[in-house]
Amino acid sequence: MTKGQELAVVTEELLHGAPKQSFGSQPLQPQPLQGLGRQVFASVAVALGSLLVGFSSAYTSPALVSMAEPNSTLSLTPQQGSWVGSLMPAAALFGGMAGGFLIEWLGRKTTILLTAPFSAIAWLLIFFASNVGWLYAGRFISGFCVGVTSLSLPVYMGETIQPEVRGMLGLTSTTLGNIGILLCFVLGKYLDWRYLAMVGALCSVPYGVCTLFAPETPHWYLSKGRRGEAEAALRWLRGGAGADVAQELRATEQGLGKGAEAAIGLPRSVTSINLVPEAQASPSDKSGLALLCTRDHMRPVGVALGLMLFQQFSGINAVIFYTVKIFQDAGSTIDEFVSTMVVGAVNLGAVVLATALIDRLGRRVLLAASAAAMALALAKLGTFFYLNTCTDVDVSGYGWLPLVSFVIFVVGFSVGFGPIPWLMMGEILPPDIRGPAASLATAVNWSCTFVVTKMFADVVEGVGSHAAFWGFCAVCVGALVFVWACVPETRGRTLADIQRRMAGRPPPQRKRRLTVSESVAGWTASMASLKPMPTGA
């Protein structure tokens, strides 16, 4: 651009004002933090579902031990016990697949809300169980609700919370999930499996009531063409009727109107907002798995799936589902129920720590530290079991080592690979594939959970606990490499900026405004280049 052309631009801006910034050419700047209290309420309300997820995950640890007692009203074979433990994640697989459809059809809030009564029904089936079939049915329904909840919560929070506090409030669900685990471990020492199930049913009540008062997400309203309701929901989330939401609402409309292209910063070819992506009108439109495998989508989908795979194959659910039995097998000098409660308390404390650190240190640092800590703890735990069961070494003087290793493992998991994969799933997936991609990631997560929990007992029986823990250790080392090579940092960035970077298109730099001296120089040069007007002679 010549100096004369730059002068023309400056003159145009002086006369008519600077052109409005396009969402496609420059990333939306984060808005001032508004309505924090309301965002906290909405986050806690829906995240109470995570308390049920944690309670369901931890239930088999004390319940299977209770069922094995002589005075139990229902006794199970070891194979039946493994199915009681693994049916929940197996059903969560189907819940995760159904959840992607439900959050688009019914809405994020409605889908979350419906899991509350069905969870209560599942726990009541377990409470009234007179045979193992009732237990299976209760665990399956509970698991289905867990799968739907696991998918819905990250999407809801990603679409309602401002970037400045998305990391902190996004961990609300993980914090409450770990409270559910701790609650189950503590009550499991004093209640048998039947009354423990009744506690699970009671936990569904505050979850359902609080979710009733949370708003639907503006994204979903806009995707259905309901702009007035979207604006009302966004105003509520940002502090009330006086909140300035015009820029955020406009950016959300543009993001939905152009799908992935708006998210990555390509110029729009239309002059008005169209809530149906242009790609949908094209006969060459891709759908289903083909849409997930496009160039712009492969990286975010791959990162989301990778984080879910490493999260579950770290062995966390084998540890949570069978904590009491693992401590019994270790021959620890500390009571197994006390050890279990310590693990649950440390788990909760570590998540609170992660909540304080995630928006300061970022996602990548916490994920890397998490993988390293878990690998160290699992290596120590595997070595202890090897010496205890495969050699003549006397390890009675190290009865504290399993508990310490468990604590390190749980702390490592809870500050990184526990909460962050779910948080990042709501951040990195583009809006046009968020439903199906989140459904796929959740299905993969719970598939891995089923494999780990169902096969853990068989692996321990076949090759020993030490081999299982060393295998999990190797996975954690792989997770460290994956984080370093593939996972982006999303701290403090808007969803549009994250998705633009994931697609490999960094935002263009804003053109530097000319100084007065440069403007004058350009004006002089342009005047000097003018030719005399022909006289017509």
Side-chain angles (χ1 to χ4, degrees):
M1 181 182 289
T2 66
K3 291 290 185 181
Q5 290 172 322
E6 290 179 341
L7 175 62
V9 172
V10 172
T11 306
E12 178 68 19
E13 291 185 6
L14 290 172
L15 292 174
H16 304 291
K20 291 184 179 179
Q21 181 178 318
S22 166
F23 177 73
S25 63
Q26 187 74 14
L28 175 68
Q29 297 301 315
Q31 295 291 293
L33 190 59
Q34 305 178 80
L36 178 59
R38 297 191 180 203
Q39 293 179 64
V40 170
F41 171 79
S43 301
V44 173
V46 299
L48 285 171
S50 283
L51 189 144
L52 280 171
V53 173
F55 196 91
S56 299
S57 299
Y59 176 75
T60 52
S61 182
L64 291 178
V65 174
S66 173
M67 291 174 188
E69 293 179 354
N71 59 348
S72 174
T73 57
L74 187 63
S75 59
L76 304 179
T77 66
Q79 192 61 246
Q80 289 173 330
S82 71
W83 277 110
V84 169
S86 57
L87 262 179
M88 191 275 283
L93 162 63
F94 297 103
M97 291 190 291
F101 166 74
L102 292 174
I103 63 173
E104 300 296 343
W105 179 42
L106 299 176
R108 282 59 159 149
K109 171 191 170 177
T110 304
T111 300
I112 293 169
L113 182 61
L114 285 175
T115 61
F118 283 100
S119 293
I121 292 171
W123 286 111
L124 289 174
L125 281 174
I126 297 174
F127 176 78
F128 290 110
S130 58
N131 56 62
V132 71
W134 286 53
L135 281 178
Y136 288 166
R139 288 290 285 174
F140 187 89
I141 297 173
S142 174
F144 189 90
C145 293
V146 163
V148 173
T149 302
S150 299
L151 177 139
S152 305
L153 294 188
V155 174
Y156 182 93
M157 292 185 176
E159 293 180 351
T160 55
I161 302 172
Q162 289 182 276
E164 293 82 357
V165 291
R166 192 190 305 127
M168 180 182 68
L169 294 185
L171 294 192
T172 305
S173 58
T174 305
T175 303
L176 286 170
N178 286 305
I179 290 175
I181 292 173
L182 178 60
L183 179 66
C184 188
F185 283 167
V186 172
L187 294 181
K189 180 173 175 61
Y190 305 102
L191 301 177
D192 71 356
W193 62 271
R194 196 180 294 276
Y195 287 100
L196 199 57
M198 178 55 71
V199 174
L202 293 175
C203 288
S204 304
V205 177
Y207 168 43
V209 172
C210 291
T211 303
L212 276 173
F213 295 97
E216 181 55 83
T217 74
H219 286 68
W220 186 78
Y221 279 136
L222 287 172
S223 72
K224 302 301 179 184
R226 296 156 64 175
R227 191 182 192 281
E229 292 167 282
E231 183 174 358
L234 190 56
R235 286 190 186 279
W236 189 95
L237 287 163
R238 300 299 180 255
D244 180 13
V245 299
Q247 182 183 4
E248 186 175 359
L249 187 66
R250 183 168 58 252
T252 304
E253 285 179 313
Q254 290 177 311
L256 290 170
K258 186 56 180 171
E261 290 184 4
I264 60 178
L266 296 179
R268 291 176 60 85
S269 58
V270 294
T271 57
S272 61
I273 293 172
N274 175 16
L275 292 181
V276 179
E278 289 178 12
Q280 291 182 4
S282 171
S284 63
D285 177 35
K286 296 183 177 67
S287 60
L289 290 177
L291 183 61
L292 301 184
C293 295
T294 59
R295 188 194 67 175
D296 292 336
H297 294 156
M298 285 183 68
R299 187 186 175 199
V301 172
V303 171
L305 294 181
L307 289 173
M308 294 302 182
L309 284 167
F310 283 114
Q311 182 196 65
Q312 289 307 317
F313 281 111
S314 70
I316 183 60
N317 277 303
V319 170
I320 296 298
F321 278 49
Y322 302 108
T323 304
V324 175
K325 189 174 188 308
I326 291 171
F327 278 117
Q328 286 179 336
D329 293 343
S332 174
T333 55
I334 306 173
D335 179 79
E336 59 267 19
F337 281 100
V338 173
S339 297
T340 300
M341 286 188 281
V342 170
V343 169
V346 169
N347 193 14
L348 175 59
V351 173
V352 174
L353 177 63
T355 303
L357 295 178
I358 192 166
D359 283 324
R360 298 181 182 180
L361 299 181
R363 282 59 159 164
R364 278 170 54 90
V365 171
L366 290 180
L367 284 170
S370 172
M374 288 191 295
L376 175 63
L378 289 166
K380 291 168 58 180
L381 198 58
T383 301
F384 177 88
F385 272 92
Y386 175 78
L387 294 175
N388 190 36
T389 59
C390 300
T391 70
D392 296 328
V393 176
D394 182 11
V395 295
S396 59
Y398 300 92
W400 48 268
L401 187 60
L403 177 58
V404 172
S405 299
F406 264 64
V407 166
I408 296 173
F409 175 78
V410 167
V411 168
F413 181 83
S414 298
V415 299
F417 265 93
I420 293 178
W422 296 107
L423 173 65
M424 292 193 71
M425 185 178 76
E427 291 180 325
I428 65 178
L429 295 178
D432 55 329
I433 62 164
R434 191 167 290 150
S439 180
L440 176 62
T442 303
V444 167
N445 183 284
W446 288 109
S447 298
C448 297
T449 305
F450 171 73
V451 170
V452 170
T453 54
K454 187 68 181 73
M455 299 300 294
F456 178 72
D458 296 334
V459 171
V460 169
E461 184 177 350
V463 295
S465 299
H466 62 282
F469 290 125
W470 282 340
F472 293 145
C473 174
V475 171
C476 292
V477 173
L480 181 60
V481 176
F482 177 78
V483 169
W484 184 263
C486 303
V487 178
E489 182 54 71
T490 60
R491 177 183 55 161
R493 295 191 174 119
T494 65
L495 297 184
D497 191 23
I498 293 169
Q499 290 145 23
R500 180 184 294 109
R501 292 170 185 271
M502 289 292 289
R505 294 180 174 88
Q509 297 295 319
R510 185 190 297 271
K511 291 183 176 65
R512 184 174 61 85
R513 186 177 295 275
L514 297 177
T515 65
V516 174
S517 61
E518 289 173 331
S519 300
V520 172
W523 178 81
T524 304
S526 63
M527 293 299 292
S529 65
L530 291 177
K531 295 181 179 179
M533 182 74 70
T535 62

